[in-house]
Amino acid sequence: MESLFGESPVGSDVGKRGARSLRRGVPKPKQPKEPIAGHVLVAVERGVDRYPEGLLYALPERLAEVAEGDRVTVPLGGGDQATEGVVVRLATDEEITKLDPDRVKAVLERSSLARRLPSELMALARWVSGYYCCPIGMTIAGVLPAAVRKGIGAVTRTFVDLAAPDRPVQTEPTGLSKKQRHLLDVLAAMPLGERPIELRLLLERTEIGTPGPVKALESKGFIRLERRTDIEATFERGGMEAGPAPQTTKAQSEIIESIGNSFANGFSQHLLFGVTGSGKTEVYIRLIERVLAAGKRAIVLVPEIALTPQTAGRLVSRFPGQRVAILHSGLTASQRHRMWANVAGGESNLVIGARSAIFAPVPDGTLGVVIVDEEHDGSYKADQAPRYHGRDVAIRRAQIANCPIVLGSATPSLESWSNATQRGVSSLHRLSERAPGLNVPRVDVVDFNEERKRFRDRRVNVIGPTLRQALEDTLRAGGQAVILLNRRGYANYIACADPTCEWVLRCDQCDAGMICHRDRYATGDGAVGLREYTRCHHCESEVRLPKTCPACGKRVSVFGLGTQRVEEELSRLFPSLIEGRTMLRVDADAMQGETDFRDALERFAKGQVRVLLGTQMIAKGLDFPNVRLVGVISADTALHLPDFRAAERTFQLVSQVSGRCGRGAAAGRSIVQTFQPKAPPIVLAAKHDFERFAELELSQRAKFGLPPVRRMARLVVRDAGESRCADIATGLVASIRAHAGEEIEIRDPTPCPIARIAGRYRQQVEMYAANAATLTRFLTVIRNAGCLPLGEVVAVDVDPIALL
């Protein structure tokens, strides 16, 4: 790594103002120096990347106990602005001697409210900062929730006790007022187990309206006051299901024993490859039981807690004697702080949450296992700095904690599959059959080109005759159905109806088309009105839907697919399906939060809702025994995107949603509508043949040198000017190629597939290396050389999963 100190490091005592004062001949006044106990490197909450390991500060003797992971306040910049940060580590002698001690600023204070971050978590933060090319301050700010940094929900309370709690008060203390004597008598009469008592409760019990007598007793030495900080938060744990533990199958038992036997050997990596409904969650639970019985703790990651309430509910219900910490985006700030404090204090032995839960402050030496459910899911990848992948960070955390990690999926990522079957990095465990009582769904691939020939009208139809008949049969038999279209809105193409006119409605801030949306609203006379508008799904800008073409004045045609159009067609075809009552649409527009989604699933579980329609939100984690039909409106929505992972995502989505049916006594059926019925991802997903798909896809990746065969990093340059953006990208490539050897391939800059988003043009630069170590070393070199102006101009995405 580059030296922590430049010619004028931010952590030194000479800043711009001081330099100006010296030039004028007026020396800057110096404050008396405190005795120094040592030196530390501090990560300040700024995008400062010149010193990747932190800024050097002196530790006054009064703060000699400050250590790695402590939250401190330090002076920053020429104005010595008080800035919060975290101690990354103690400085080495070599680092200290590089600067004149008189130029090094001192730490101002240590936070009295914040807990010290575990050393294992600090080691993880340093790895994330280095591997994903993110300033250490920004990385630690991402590790530490904003609610914790700001102390949201923290309340300081005063507790009262006798000055000598285990000795009685003298019978006749002199010089006391009547109220003071009464307070002392009440305290003395209280059992030791009820003291110290909160000041507010003591005043209520003694019916004294002011704290004055208490303060007087403290000043006279009769009582002592203790101030404690706690976090106030209320929680709602609705929707958590309970039930007896099922009998494990032979395959489950063998896997539990195999993985469980590795617990005593430190770090090990396992891939649990199980078809949908095979009982992977039960394997997780049994492994967690072993860990907790050994006095250790567990972290379980799920793609998004709001999308997988059943998984979280099952885990919570099986550990009623444990205080489970659930960390996810749906918590209020106070709730997140409370949960974080429970984990840091060792009160919670089981942590469940989305990707950021991997940064839970589990005490050092106590983490026994890390589990990543649905490890293939794209939501584990962060889209803002640090752009980490939750699965890969989980692997690194398990390595640091020296404990096993279990990755589970019915459709593993090709990275994890390659690690298990080709590289030998992971142990592969198979659950090839569904759990007892569950049926493997029959999957029918329907050629929508042929289906369209059977339509009798010229309107846009999205539900073909085959799916329509199957849905009719399912509803008549009392079953339920799940309908998937991974595209929200009403229609995705808005253009002039005249074929000779080329006008198409596009976002004025992005190189993308606008999406038509429709909202119903109640009018003043009790009727229902319809509002049509368009929205960009990249920058979220909205405009009204034009009635006529602005180019030629003719009418505007609204064409294409969206969940709202499917909802409209279902209502027309099946009058018994009433929007919001017996049919629910589940997408980002209809579901405003975790509570809405949980309520929707509860109503579906009770049978009040017959059809659940939605995007990929309904493709994972749902287990309802009465779902007898799954309909995929269009399996082609992502198949031909300009992204080498398009086929992989299509296979995963079709396989996952098809696995939502057949989980009860009745047989399940999945109908997949497509214009490309012979496309390998769709054909193999219908056959439940992941291994054949992985074999074909990996051979294609090897042919073109794409991940996971090679490792990849993507640099995205962003600027408001198109030519300037291209110039910056060209200059960036020239500067980094000067440091590259033959082991690194750097491709020429090209416009991103979506070349402009939110008013900024985008150019991409792709870099490839044979392995992660080579790529990381190169990124470190160009980062230290100042070639990567991280921030708004250049974004670094290591191991990207989306290339749009």
Side-chain angles (χ1 to χ4, degrees):
M1 301 292 286
E2 178 194 8
S3 168
L4 303 178
F5 316 102
E7 295 181 357
S8 180
V10 178
S12 76
D13 236 351
V14 178
K16 295 179 180 178
R17 296 182 185 176
R20 286 196 297 266
S21 297
L22 292 173
R23 284 195 298 268
R24 290 194 302 265
V26 182
K28 186 178 180 180
K30 292 186 178 181
Q31 299 297 325
K33 292 283 187 180
E34 297 184 72
I36 299 301
H39 293 78
V40 291
L41 297 179
V42 177
V44 294
E45 295 177 3
R46 298 287 190 276
V48 178
D49 198 48
R50 184 177 178 185
Y51 311 101
E53 294 188 49
L55 303 176
L56 182 70
Y57 285 92
L59 267 184
E61 282 188 355
R62 59 183 172 83
L63 299 176
E65 75 285 356
V66 167
E68 174 190 57
D70 277 335
R71 191 164 179 79
V72 295
T73 302
V74 296
L76 183 64
D80 288 345
Q81 181 180 4
T83 306
E84 292 192 337
V86 174
V87 176
V88 178
R89 61 175 173 83
L90 300 179
T92 65
D93 291 340
E94 180 182 359
E95 292 163 346
I96 296 171
T97 56
K98 287 186 177 181
L99 279 183
D100 181 349
D102 290 335
R103 298 177 59 204
V104 180
K105 298 178 183 179
V107 175
L108 299 177
E109 61 181 355
R110 176 185 180 274
S111 172
S112 60
L113 299 180
R115 293 179 181 268
R116 178 176 294 167
L117 295 177
S119 61
E120 291 178 3
L121 189 56
M122 290 301 300
L124 183 66
R126 289 193 293 269
W127 179 84
V128 169
S129 174
Y131 186 78
Y132 292 103
C133 290
C134 182
I136 184 64
M138 292 179 63
T139 301
I140 293 179
V143 168
L144 200 61
V148 178
R149 300 198 307 271
K150 298 176 182 178
I152 296 176
V155 177
T156 300
R157 297 185 176 92
T158 301
F159 289 80
V160 185
D161 200 354
L162 298 173
D166 54 346
R167 296 199 302 271
V169 182
Q170 64 184 54
T171 54
E172 288 294 333
T174 59
L176 300 183
S177 68
K178 184 177 180 181
K179 290 183 178 180
Q180 293 170 7
R181 190 182 303 276
H182 178 49
L183 275 167
L184 206 56
D185 290 342
V186 170
L187 269 177
M190 291 175 59
L192 283 175
E194 295 183 16
R195 303 196 317 253
I197 182 174
E198 188 181 347
L199 174 61
R200 176 181 57 84
L201 298 178
L202 178 63
L203 294 178
E204 289 179 358
R205 185 174 297 187
T206 57
E207 298 182 347
I208 295 176
T210 68
V214 176
K215 295 179 180 178
L217 287 173
E218 180 192 24
S219 64
K220 295 175 181 179
F222 287 102
I223 65 173
R224 60 184 177 88
L225 302 182
E226 178 184 349
R227 290 170 178 81
R228 301 177 185 173
T229 299
D230 196 9
I231 298 99
E232 288 188 337
T234 58
F235 296 89
E236 181 180 357
R237 295 288 181 88
M240 302 299 186
E241 61 178 34
Q247 182 70 35
T248 56
T249 65
K250 180 182 178 181
Q252 287 174 323
S253 299
E254 291 175 350
I255 292 173
I256 293 166
E257 287 302 315
S258 177
I259 299 177
N261 290 338
S262 70
F263 281 9
N265 301 327
F267 172 76
S268 58
Q269 189 170 322
H270 305 268
L271 176 61
L272 178 55
F273 169 45
V275 300
T276 56
S278 59
K280 295 184 290 295
T281 302
E282 188 60 32
V283 173
Y284 303 154
I285 290 173
R286 299 303 176 100
L287 293 174
I288 294 170
E289 288 176 345
R290 293 193 177 199
V291 167
L292 298 184
K296 296 281 189 174
R297 295 176 170 85
I299 295 177
V300 180
L301 298 188
V302 293
E304 170 52 54
I305 198 76
L307 305 185
T308 52
Q310 289 186 309
T311 301
R314 194 172 296 121
L315 288 169
V316 170
S317 68
R318 291 288 293 276
F319 299 99
Q322 300 288 340
R323 178 178 285 185
V324 180
I326 303 180
L327 303 174
H328 61 92
S329 58
L331 296 177
T332 66
S334 296
Q335 290 170 342
R336 180 174 287 272
H337 193 178
R338 175 73 269 174
M339 288 291 187
W340 194 93
N342 287 346
V343 177
E347 300 172 35
S348 296
N349 294 329
L350 176 57
V351 178
I352 305 171
R355 64 171 182 255
S356 62
I358 196 57
F359 299 121
V362 175
D364 289 335
T366 66
L367 186 58
V369 70
V370 178
I371 295 171
V372 183
D373 189 32
E374 306 289 4
E375 63 84 24
H376 68 277
D377 197 276
S379 64
Y380 282 123
K381 178 72 168 173
D383 58 2
Q384 294 181 342
R387 293 174 175 81
Y388 67 92
H389 198 298
R391 176 199 62 219
D392 298 339
V393 174
I395 294 172
R396 183 59 181 166
R397 174 141 204 196
Q399 290 174 335
I400 293 172
N402 199 30
C403 73
I405 181 168
V406 180
L407 312 176
S409 178
T411 55
S413 65
L414 292 185
E415 283 78 6
S416 295
W417 185 255
S418 175
N419 284 339
T421 61
Q422 296 179 345
R423 300 182 60 223
V425 173
S426 293
S427 299
L428 179 61
H429 308 271
R430 286 182 170 89
L431 285 174
S432 303
E433 298 180 355
R434 283 195 154 193
L438 304 187
N439 300 288
V440 177
R442 188 184 98 199
V443 181
D444 296 327
V445 177
V446 176
D447 185 348
F448 207 67
N449 290 298
E450 296 298 322
E451 293 279 291
R452 290 199 301 174
K453 297 176 182 178
R454 298 165 60 185
F455 292 132
R456 298 179 180 178
D457 54 49
R458 298 184 61 185
R459 74 173 78 192
V460 175
N461 291 278
V462 297
I463 299 173
T466 302
L467 179 55
R468 176 179 178 178
Q469 185 61 52
L471 183 54
E472 185 177 322
D473 295 342
T474 298
L475 296 176
R476 186 185 303 113
Q480 294 171 291
V482 170
I483 306 296
L484 171 78
L485 175 62
N486 200 26
R487 180 177 289 156
R488 59 192 176 96
Y490 183 80
N492 64 308
Y493 188 74
I494 305 166
C496 180
D498 187 345
T500 64
C501 181
E502 298 181 352
W503 178 83
V504 176
L505 182 59
R506 302 183 66 81
C507 177
D508 60 0
Q509 295 295 314
C510 307
D511 285 348
M514 299 292 282
I515 308 299
C516 178
H517 286 255
R518 288 183 173 182
D519 286 343
R520 289 182 173 84
Y521 62 93
T523 62
D525 57 1
V528 177
L530 182 66
R531 183 174 76 97
E532 292 185 308
Y533 61 97
T534 65
R535 175 186 295 160
C536 174
H537 286 183
H538 299 285
C539 70
E540 299 299 320
S541 62
E542 294 184 4
V543 296
R544 287 186 177 183
L545 178 68
K547 299 300 182 183
T548 60
C549 173
C552 68
K554 295 184 179 179
R555 70 178 182 86
V556 168
S557 175
V558 176
F559 190 76
L561 304 177
T563 49
Q564 290 180 327
R565 187 188 284 275
V566 178
E567 182 181 42
E568 179 184 83
E569 187 164 332
L570 285 171
S571 298
R572 176 172 57 83
L573 295 176
F574 301 95
S576 63
L577 296 179
I578 303 173
E579 297 177 22
R581 294 175 59 185
T582 56
M583 176 177 61
L584 285 181
R585 175 166 53 87
V586 178
D587 57 25
D589 297 319
M591 302 287 109
Q592 300 302 312
E594 179 203 359
T595 301
D596 289 344
F597 188 72
R598 187 178 65 235
D599 290 346
L601 295 189
E602 288 180 356
R603 293 171 59 190
F604 194 61
K606 294 175 182 178
Q608 299 170 355
V609 175
R610 304 293 304 282
V611 173
L612 207 60
L613 155 71
T615 57
Q616 62 181 355
M617 293 175 70
I618 61 174
K620 49 195 172 187
L622 304 187
D623 185 357
F624 297 104
N626 197 36
V627 175
R628 306 180 192 180
L629 176 68
V630 166
V632 179
I633 297 298
S634 174
D636 312 324
T637 52
L639 191 55
H640 292 297
L641 291 176
D643 190 327
F644 69 88
R645 298 184 193 273
E648 181 181 2
R649 280 195 286 267
T650 297
F651 179 93
Q652 291 168 344
L653 186 61
V654 174
S655 296
Q656 290 285 337
V657 73
S658 296
R660 298 312 107 204
C661 63
R663 293 173 174 258
R669 184 185 182 191
S670 177
I671 295 176
V672 180
Q673 297 183 160
T674 174
F675 286 103
Q676 301 175 76
K678 295 183 179 180
I682 296 173
V683 172
L684 294 173
K687 294 180 178 179
H688 310 287
D689 194 352
F690 170 79
E691 297 195 40
R692 176 57 177 162
F693 169 77
E695 178 186 356
L696 294 175
E697 188 67 13
L698 283 173
S699 68
Q700 290 294 307
R701 303 278 183 92
K703 180 179 179 181
F704 295 102
L706 295 168
V709 178
R710 292 195 298 173
R711 301 304 282 263
M712 175 185 180
R714 182 177 184 239
L715 310 180
V716 178
V717 177
R718 300 166 292 191
D719 193 85
E722 184 175 11
S723 59
R724 176 172 167 77
C725 182
D727 291 343
I728 295 173
T730 300
L732 175 63
V733 169
S735 66
I736 63 179
R737 278 180 174 164
H739 299 275
E742 294 182 356
E743 71 279 6
I744 297 291
E745 178 190 352
I746 303 172
R747 296 187 176 177
D748 291 335
T750 59
C752 295
I754 303 177
R756 185 173 58 113
I757 293 179
R760 293 195 296 175
Y761 290 90
R762 307 164 72 238
Q763 291 264 335
Q764 63 182 2
V765 177
E766 295 178 0
M767 300 184 295
Y768 295 88
N771 51 61
T774 301
L775 184 61
T776 300
R777 283 195 298 269
F778 178 67
L779 288 172
T780 301
V781 168
I782 61 176
R783 184 182 179 189
N784 290 341
C787 298
L788 296 179
L790 304 182
E792 290 299 310
V793 177
V794 177
V796 181
D797 192 359
V798 180
D799 301 328
I801 66 167
L803 302 181
L804 297 183

